[in-house]
Amino acid sequence: MAEEESKEAVATTSDERAAEATESGQTLAQSQAAGVDAQAGNASGTEAGKRGRRAEKIGVVSSDKMEKTCVVRVDRLVKHPKYRRYVRRTSKFMAHNEKGATVGDKVRIVETRPISANKRWRVVEVVQKAEK
């Protein structure tokens, strides 16, 4: 008799125990797995599911006179529509610099949330240090 009762107690699944343990305002998903996000499309619980692939660019630091900001110059080649020659186009991005990049360093920057009025990029790594 005692054995049957213990088997019934073991037979209750974790779902039933979680459903019994949930308080008002707490969902079943929150009580089951703390590491899993309740948002749709993110079964792993990592941040990679929340946002897409971030844009990366490689450029040369042209200014580091600000405290935690540097200006990165990114060059690209564009074919001229009329003359069919490649023309160099330059874009300048302000990037959050905690890696200590200095003028002339080749850096990899990645797109991020707005940090200030003009900063939307962050220095990820210094690819090549400038020759002194």
Side-chain angles (χ1 to χ4, degrees):
M1 186 84 170
E3 291 177 21
E4 291 177 19
E5 289 177 5
S6 65
K7 288 180 183 178
E8 288 177 4
V10 173
T12 58
T13 63
S14 61
D15 293 341
E16 291 172 352
R17 279 185 258 139
E20 292 170 2
T22 56
E23 299 171 7
S24 62
Q26 185 181 18
T27 65
L28 183 63
Q30 289 173 337
S31 65
Q32 273 213 281
V36 176
D37 263 344
Q39 293 180 358
N42 191 8
S44 63
T46 60
E47 288 188 357
K50 291 181 185 174
R51 58 176 172 244
R53 186 138 173 91
R54 293 187 168 195
E56 286 188 357
K57 296 183 184 297
I58 295 179
V60 178
V61 176
S62 59
S63 170
D64 65 346
K65 294 191 176 191
M66 295 162 275
E67 284 188 22
K68 289 189 178 180
T69 306
C70 65
V71 179
V72 180
R73 188 187 77 234
V74 177
D75 294 332
R76 59 190 171 93
L77 292 175
V78 178
K79 189 177 273 193
H80 194 280
K82 183 176 180 180
Y83 300 114
R84 303 286 188 242
R85 298 285 180 146
Y86 283 100
V87 183
R88 187 178 313 276
R89 298 284 183 213
T90 303
S91 300
K92 292 189 337 183
F93 300 99
M94 294 183 84
H96 188 68
N97 179 23
E98 291 199 355
K99 300 289 182 185
T102 57
V103 175
D105 290 353
K106 189 181 232 183
V107 295
R108 175 176 284 117
I109 59 175
V110 69
E111 197 174 26
T112 186
R113 63 179 175 81
I115 297 171
S116 71
N118 298 319
K119 275 200 296 190
R120 274 101 173 103
W121 296 84
R122 180 171 36 100
V123 175
V124 176
E125 68 171 319
V126 178
V127 177
Q128 183 179 10
K129 291 294 283 182
E131 295 179 12
K132 299 278 175 165

